[in-house]
Structures are given as structure tokens and as C-alpha cells.
Amino acid sequence: MQHAQSSAQLSVLVVDPNPGIRANLQNMLNGAGITRVEFAVNAGTAVRQLARRGFDVILCEYDLGGPGQDGQQLLEDLRRERIIPPWAIFIMLTAEGSRDKVVSAAELAPTDYVLKPFTAGMLHERITRALERRAALLPAYQLVAQGQPRAAIQACIDGAGARPRFAFDFARLRAELHASLREPREAERVYREVLAARPLGWAGLGLARAMVEQERIAEAAALLDALIDDNPRLMGAYDLLARCHEARADHAGAQKVLAAAVALSPHMVGRLRRLGEVALDAGDPAAAEQSYRQAVARSRHSAFRTPQDHLGLVKALVARGDASAAGGVIRDMERSLQGAPETAACAALAGALVQDAGGNGAGAVAQLKQAVDAVRGGSALSGAVRADLARACLAHRLDDEAAAVMMAGLGTATPQDAGVSARQATEVFVDAGRPDLAEGMVKQLRAQAQILLGIADEKRNMGDVRGAVQTLLEALNMAPNNLQVMIALVGGILRQVMEMGWDEPLGSLCGEQLAHIRGLDASHPRLAALEAEFAAAKRKYGIST
């Protein structure tokens, strides 16, 4: 494999419930000089070990037995919750020959997957190959982790020249970095270069994503249809094609595409959840119920379960007129997800839906007030569920409660609570036919932004430059088109980068805000000076203009 010293330094986590297989894998690894081996008998144990420390290689059995998660579901959680870094080596081991499970394992792009039975030599070869690839890309990944995506892009260009064997891997990372920097045209150019050399599915999918980001929806949909015809197991193409249908308000089309994907790969919880949402939008509560039931069942043993799947199932059952079954789902939610931070709010909102369905408006109001109290008490919610709760409050003339729910979501960004932007918050009221409340929220946000401007000034005067910028970012989220906030934020970012070094995300935001300011008021008295300072900062750090 590698020479003895490097092999001895490798750490491996083996995830397998079978003690005999664990012992056999340990013997294989020891024979290659790898002695730092730890074990996990199920997905929950693996999550705890990986959250505590990193491993060079994860060897995971697909079928982890018992009622818990399988290896694919574990990988989905690890990637979504960012417990393992992008360069982690995750190798799936499986004797499963059924098509749907193999597809499910493959679509999450583990580093590799090995079908049983396999020899020690085969395993060693796969690990060696994965280690060589990681060693080639690691410098670029480390630059990404340090917040230097521009430098990482250059590292990809240099790496492809120095190690042409991994040229496609470097190109893929480079395109993804351009996409993360909101440069879809540059990403498109890289993907087209790859496709000109070889018709790789991931490059075609990346090209379609770049088209969507440029709002070329019809062009992207045509490309995705062709990709699926050529490779029906390119699962990400179905997800993106469904987004294209939704962008054209074709909910039935989106449902059809996602249903086809679930038929091929029925183990992805995120897609099951999405199919439930789309089916409700398409007016098909029976299909929504089926999808949400599967999502609830498949995520039951996940360390990252969310009651929002139960809430979706309640919505589907209410739409079908089955309030009794909906009540059972609520009780299961409260019992099995008692410790989740968003359970109280989700359960109360679900209860309000059931009360409404039964014509008990007073009961619905009582439940909605419980949900709002939970939010005020810190209960986390996704932006979508927060909007659902606000709409339900508006339907019962609970105007203050609806405003409180949306205001509480501004600025939050935890994994459980995606938060909302000022635009999303006001859109809830406009869509509900309450522009008066939207205007009232805008006034509140402006007032909050003014308070935050004062706090940022105090932090800056005390020398807390970073703290001032963070406060100004909160103010921008509350008042995204406020020139005073935008000018203050640009000035704060420029001071931070000049004193503390270039920060790529802040630098990109600074450029975006300057362009926005110019669009709003090209003759603003501070604009020219700020643009000159920005150009000087880029010159200082050798940033290409």
C-alpha cells in the first residue's frame, strides 16, 4: 500500500455490526501496516466517534443490521451535518446486489464502494487509490477550509498541470468553487472544458446547475432530460430537473420527476421529504402522505431527526381528511422527539392544523399561540415552517404573533433553524394580502437596523473591528437596501481586511455591496472613495481585479 511509516500513521474507523467481519478487516489493515483502527457497531456510535475526532479512512458496511440506519443514511447525515470534511475518505462495503440500494450508495458519492466478497489486495488497492487522490487535492481543500477559495482555484489549476492523472478531480473542485463564489459563468466554462474532453455525468449536471443559476431554466431542463436518458442513475439530475419544473410552477411535473427518482433510489430521506412537499403543492395528498411516512420511518434512528417530517405528514393527512391519524402522528412526534429544539413549535402548529380541519377555530388559535410562545422561547424552525406558522397566524388574525414569528427568524442560521431574510419575511405578509403588515415589519426592521448601526459604532470605537462587521451584517439582513447600512458595512469590511488580512467571503460581499450601492445611487458622495479603498485593498493582497 504505502510505505510502513505512512501506513502506521493512518487512522481508520470500521463501521460494521458483525464482530467476525470487524476482526477480518482489522487483519487486512494490519497486514498493510495500518494499526490505528477503531470500530463502531452502528451508525449512532459512528456519528459520536466522528464528531469527537477525525479519521483518515472510514470503512462502512452498507447493511448495518437491526432497526437503525444503513450506511447510506449514515453518509447522508455525515455530509449534511458536515461532520466529515469534503476530503474525508468514505468507502462503502456491501454484499447487497439489489439495484436500488447500490444506486443509493453510489449517488451520495462515497470515495469508493467495494462489493463483497473482496480480497485484502483489492481493499488495499482501493484505499491506496483514495489516499493518492486525497493527497493531490488536499492543498486546495485546505485553502478552502482557510477561507481562501481564490487561492484554492489557483491551486486546482496548478495541481492539474503538475498531476494530470487527477485533472478531472481538480476541474470538478475548481468549478464547484466558482459556483460557491456566485460565478456560474466561470463554473459553466470549466464544466464545458471537461465535457469537451469526456462526457462525464457530474460535469453535465454541474453545467445544468450553472444554467439554473443564470436563470436559463428551459436550457437546463433540456440538458437534464438528455442526461437522464443517457444515464438513468444520475440521481442528482432528477432533483435539479424537479427544481426547474417548480421554477415554472409545474408542481405536477416536479412530482413526477421526484417520484421516478425515489423509485430508483428509495433510501434518500432528503428526497422523500422533498417529494412530500412537492406532492402537497401539486394537490396530491395521498402521494405526500406516502413520502412523508417513508421519510419519518427512514430517519427514525438518525441522530439528526427533525419533527418537520412529522409536521409534513400531518399536513398530508389533514388534506386527506384523516384527522384521527394526524393526531396519532402528533403524539408520536411529541413522544419520540421530545428533546428536539423545534418539537414544541411543530407539534403545536400541527395541532392547530387538526383543530382547523375540525372547525374548531378557538382550539386552533390556542395551539397557534402555543407555537408562537415556543418560538419566542427559542424553539428552532426552518424558514419554510416559520413561514407556515406565520401564515396560519394571519389566517386567524393573529397579526402580532405572525410578525413575532418572522422577526425571530431574522439573523438565525443554525442547522435546525435556517432563518429568513427581510425579503422573505415581508413576502409572507404581502402574499397573505396584508401589505400593511409588511410595511409595519419594514419599519421595525429599519428601526432595528439603526440600533445595530449604533452598536457597531461602539464596537469599532473600542477596537472590535470584527465584532463591528458582524453587527453590520445583522443590520444588512434586516435592511438589505438601506444605503446607510450598506455604506457602513463596506467601510467596516475594508477596515477589517486592511488591518487583519484578506477575507474572501467578506471581500466578495464588499464588491457586491459596492455594485448595489452604485445601482441605487451612483452619485453617492462616499461611493468613489470606497471603491478606491476596495481597489487598494485588492492590490495590497494581490487579488486579481
Side-chain angles (χ1 to χ4, degrees), residues 296-445:
V296 168
R298 294 194 184 283
S299 65
R300 188 166 293 277
H301 299 281
S302 169
F304 309 102
R305 293 179 69 197
T306 169
Q308 293 172 24
D309 290 333
H310 285 76
L311 176 59
L313 180 53
V314 168
K315 290 166 67 175
L317 289 167
V318 166
R320 296 196 71 187
D322 194 346
S324 175
V329 172
I330 295 172
R331 290 190 291 275
D332 178 62
M333 181 199 312
E334 293 173 323
R335 181 179 61 253
S336 61
L337 286 159
Q338 189 173 8
E342 66 269 43
T343 296
C346 284
L349 174 56
L353 296 175
V354 173
Q355 294 293 335
D356 262 334
N360 185 358
V365 167
Q367 291 282 341
L368 288 172
K369 288 183 176 180
Q370 286 186 31
V372 174
D373 286 343
V375 171
R376 285 172 169 154
S379 184
L381 287 179
S382 72
V385 176
R386 190 177 292 277
D388 282 345
L389 176 55
R391 291 187 192 100
C393 287
L394 290 173
H396 286 277
R397 309 301 293 182
L398 299 175
D399 296 354
D400 292 343
E401 287 81 356
V405 167
M406 300 312 293
M407 286 290 292
L410 289 164
T412 57
T414 66
Q416 295 83 16
D417 193 333
V420 292
S421 68
R423 179 183 58 79
Q424 291 169 327
T426 54
E427 279 180 355
V428 168
F429 299 108
V430 172
D431 292 344
R434 297 299 304 276
D436 56 318
L437 292 177
E439 181 57 32
M441 171 161 280
V442 169
K443 290 179 180 178
Q444 288 187 60
L445 294 174

Side-chain angles (χ1 to χ4, degrees), residues 3 29 46 96 116 125 136 142 152 161 174 199 268 356 377 492 542:
H3 57 79
L29 294 167
E96 179 58 61
K116 297 178 181 179
E125 179 187 354
Q142 288 173 332
R174 184 174 147 214
M268 286 283 289
D356 262 334

